[in-house]
Amino acid sequence: MKEKSIQQNVQREIDRLSQKKRKEMSFQERVRLLQLKLYLKAKQEKSYKFYVLYDKLFLKHVLTAAYLKSKANGGKPGIDKMTFTDVEAYGREKFLKELGEELRKRTYKPQPVKRAWIEKENGGKRPLGIPTIKDRVAQQACKLIMEPIWEADFDDSSYGFRPNRSPAGAVTEIKQHLKSGMHEVYDADLSNYFDTIPHDKLEKALKERIADPRIIHLIKLWLKAPIVEEDGTYTGGKNNPKGTPQGGVISPLLANIYMNLLDRIVNRPDGYFDKQGIKMIRYADDFILMSKHIRQEAIIRLHNYLERMGLVLNREKSKQVKAREVPFEFLGFAFRYDQSVLFRGSKFWNVLPRPKSQKRVRQRINTRLKSISHYPAEAVVTEMNPIIRGWMNYYRIDKVSYTQVAFKTLDDYLRKRLNRFYQRKSQRKSRLYRQEAYQLLVQQYGLIAPYKTSGARPVKALR
């Protein structure tokens, strides 16, 4: 019933857009119409294979949409050091026309991917691949065409790197399962998922829907692109049998397509896991199993499926817990069965940002304040608001109000830290010296007050 309603809504939107004359349609509407048609076809015919897709990549409106989306995402320049400012100076129309011709004539070749390393919360580092702008735009165009096809197939339990989905949806579903009695949780941890996806098996998964060999060849070119390490050495390349670089525009979609194989196995109606009452919630390569009871046989089966897919499960980090007795963490949230303060003898499922994340945002604020000790109040707010806004928007969950306790804690920290910041001798020249600095920054300069703005809507501010 739900799928039928979705298809009807999509058809109505297609009819609405189709009524417009081509000259009257914006390039965004033309791309949207194309995506809706691809989605509806895939949704209506589960086994349909798309034989002609490549010629849509170099359409002017598709490349324009891909460029603007890539530009909005920002990011550092690739190996050619070209920025979006450079592209604009060169001429955006000329740049896209040349890329379109390369794609049309099939002379396009991706450049090597520059590798950078970013710090993880646990102190380690994660590799990040940075393609050139030309390659980002080409990948984005391919994603615009492929994504609606696979969106028709993806399972509702998958929340990562998908349109109109976020960690909030995964957290809400987890809480619903906990309240329904699914207190046993298996938290799985895959080792270096993006770097271990086998190319041959991924290609087979792609060919379930994509029968255009030109699209498959293009994706293989991106997967086989050499990687330039920070020391200038080259790795990967044609002989590399696995991995898709994190940071590539199309990598998250490819990662979801491959993990969809596992989604279908675990969530198949009347399948083994369904008969055991086991549900899976997944965000990219992070996933958990939930049930009233998870037998060891189910865990062994899961391990076997992952092994057949060529993926490595970190057995030390993966763990099975009884959530009523032992809290667990997922996607930066902590799930606890806590004693109610208001009702004696009553317990409830508490969902809040995990302690490490709360500590990390305080450290970021503290570190930034130390580096802007002589900034005027307006500049201090400009530096603080993105940190506060980003953290709050991630942890704000509709219908889960307990995160407001964490927002109140952050609010208290900001008040104390900023008041102390403006009581220092070095701040004597400031108008906020020995004042209620936090309150004045909120009222006069637009600083985000976490607890005051901790409603359901995302945080917005002047800066």
Side-chain angles (χ1 to χ4, degrees):
M1 192 67 182
K2 182 181 177 182
E3 282 199 9
K4 186 176 181 180
S5 177
I6 292 173
Q7 291 179 35
Q8 289 174 343
N9 291 336
V10 171
Q11 186 62 61
R12 279 194 290 269
E13 182 66 8
I14 290 175
D15 294 340
R16 185 187 71 81
L17 290 171
S18 299
Q19 288 174 1
K20 287 190 172 186
K21 294 181 180 180
R22 186 170 179 176
K23 291 182 179 179
E24 296 175 352
M25 294 177 67
S26 66
F27 72 87
Q28 293 98 332
E29 288 176 322
R30 293 179 67 184
V31 171
R32 179 66 176 157
L33 180 59
L34 172 61
Q35 289 182 314
L36 289 171
K37 287 181 176 179
L38 291 170
Y39 173 85
L40 191 60
K41 183 68 174 179
K43 200 71 174 175
Q44 290 175 337
E45 300 183 38
K46 299 293 185 182
S47 60
Y48 184 83
K49 292 188 178 184
F50 292 80
Y51 285 86
V52 183
L53 288 176
Y54 187 83
D55 59 340
K56 297 171 177 59
L57 290 182
F58 46 84
L59 294 173
K60 184 178 179 181
H61 55 278
V62 172
L63 285 175
T64 301
Y67 175 82
L68 292 177
K69 197 169 183 64
S70 299
K71 184 180 179 182
N73 291 334
K76 295 182 179 181
I79 192 173
D80 62 356
K81 298 182 181 180
M82 179 175 278
T83 65
F84 284 101
T85 302
D86 296 329
V87 175
E88 297 292 336
Y90 179 76
R92 187 180 79 188
E93 295 294 327
K94 183 180 178 182
F95 173 83
L96 293 179
K97 184 178 180 180
E98 291 173 352
L99 174 57
E101 280 299 293
E102 287 183 26
L103 289 168
R104 186 180 67 82
K105 295 177 180 178
R106 298 188 67 189
T107 58
Y108 164 80
K109 300 292 182 185
Q111 292 180 273
V113 177
K114 184 171 74 173
R115 173 165 283 176
W117 294 87
I118 57 176
E119 291 186 3
K120 297 167 64 174
E121 279 194 16
N122 61 9
K125 289 189 175 182
R126 176 184 291 112
L128 182 69
I130 306 175
T132 63
I133 289 178
K134 179 189 284 189
D135 294 334
R136 280 183 238 177
V137 174
Q139 288 186 31
Q140 186 69 64
C142 190
K143 183 183 176 185
L144 288 173
I145 302 303
M146 287 178 54
E147 190 169 58
I149 296 171
W150 288 98
E151 275 298 310
D153 289 349
F154 286 156
D155 195 87
D156 285 343
S157 64
S158 168
Y159 290 92
F161 304 123
R162 295 181 59 190
N164 302 316
R165 286 180 167 253
S166 67
V171 171
T172 301
E173 184 176 349
I174 290 170
K175 190 179 179 187
Q176 290 173 349
H177 287 330
L178 290 170
K179 292 173 74 174
S180 70
M182 296 184 179
H183 303 150
E184 198 147 324
V185 177
Y186 181 75
D187 184 1
D189 184 276
L190 292 176
S191 298
N192 302 319
Y193 171 63
F194 281 81
D195 293 333
T196 56
I197 299 175
H199 292 173
D200 56 345
K201 291 183 171 65
L202 173 61
E203 184 178 342
K204 289 180 181 178
L206 287 167
K207 286 181 177 178
E208 288 186 7
R209 279 296 200 174
I210 310 296
D212 189 332
R214 297 168 297 177
I215 292 286
I216 300 297
H217 176 70
L218 187 61
I219 292 173
K220 289 169 71 174
L221 288 177
W222 288 323
L223 292 175
K224 301 294 185 181
I227 296 173
V228 182
E229 303 289 348
E230 290 181 330
D231 61 2
T233 58
Y234 283 72
T235 58
K238 294 181 179 179
N239 297 323
N240 184 27
K242 59 184 179 179
T244 176
Q246 293 189 62
V249 175
I250 204 166
S251 293
L253 177 59
L254 297 179
N256 266 337
I257 289 171
Y258 196 58
M259 281 298 286
N260 189 53
L261 300 173
L262 184 66
D263 294 345
R264 292 190 312 204
I265 292 171
V266 176
N267 296 320
R268 185 173 67 241
D270 296 324
Y272 170 81
F273 291 92
D274 185 58
K275 290 178 179 178
Q276 298 293 319
I278 296 174
K279 300 291 184 183
M280 182 170 79
I281 298 93
R282 182 174 68 83
Y283 189 94
D285 57 324
D286 294 322
F287 68 92
I288 59 173
L289 302 183
M290 301 184 70
S291 183
K292 292 182 179 179
H293 178 64
I294 300 177
R295 298 165 57 186
Q296 190 61 31
E297 180 188 356
I299 304 300
I300 293 172
R301 284 197 178 214
L302 176 70
H303 289 193
N304 290 339
Y305 287 131
L306 290 170
E307 188 175 337
R308 284 164 55 185
M309 290 174 67
L311 302 177
V312 180
L313 195 70
N314 189 324
R315 295 176 183 269
E316 291 183 2
K317 291 185 177 180
S318 301
K319 57 184 178 181
Q320 187 171 347
V321 299
K322 296 183 184 297
R324 276 179 174 266
E325 302 169 9
V326 181
F328 70 96
E329 296 179 352
F330 187 63
L331 301 180
F333 288 85
F335 299 83
R336 304 189 319 212
Y337 195 52
D338 283 349
Q339 180 71 49
S340 173
V341 177
L342 299 177
F343 303 100
R344 183 176 297 179
S346 176
K347 287 191 171 185
F348 70 102
W349 288 106
N350 195 359
V351 183
L352 67 162
R354 65 177 187 167
K356 283 186 179 179
S357 180
Q358 296 187 54
K359 181 180 180 181
R360 186 172 179 82
V361 72
R362 292 195 297 268
Q363 288 175 337
R364 286 187 64 196
I365 290 169
N366 188 51
T367 301
R368 197 74 196 107
L369 283 175
K370 286 181 179 179
S371 65
I372 58 174
S373 58
H374 299 292
Y375 279 30
E378 295 90 341
V380 170
V381 170
T382 300
E383 295 290 333
M384 290 293 101
N385 273 352
I387 299 174
I388 301 168
R389 184 192 302 115
W391 193 82
M392 288 186 66
N393 284 345
Y394 182 85
Y395 286 105
R396 175 176 284 98
I397 307 294
D398 291 349
K399 300 178 182 178
V400 180
S401 60
Y402 311 121
T403 53
Q404 291 186 16
V405 176
F407 295 156
K408 179 63 167 64
T409 302
L410 179 60
D411 197 286
D412 292 340
Y413 173 78
L414 280 168
R415 184 183 300 277
K416 293 176 183 177
R417 184 67 183 85
L418 287 168
N419 287 345
R420 190 168 71 249
F421 178 76
Y422 281 102
Q423 286 172 2
R424 295 164 47 188
K425 290 181 180 179
S426 59
Q427 295 289 349
R428 283 181 178 176
K429 294 181 181 180
S430 172
R431 292 173 55 193
L432 300 179
Y433 179 62
R434 290 193 173 177
Q435 302 291 318
E436 179 58 38
Y438 175 72
Q439 199 66 28
L440 291 173
L441 287 170
V442 170
Q443 294 176 351
Q444 297 182 18
Y445 298 96
L447 180 72
I448 296 171
Y451 190 57
K452 185 178 180 181
T453 56
S454 60
R457 297 179 64 185
V459 173
K460 295 182 180 179
L462 296 176
R463 299 171 178 80

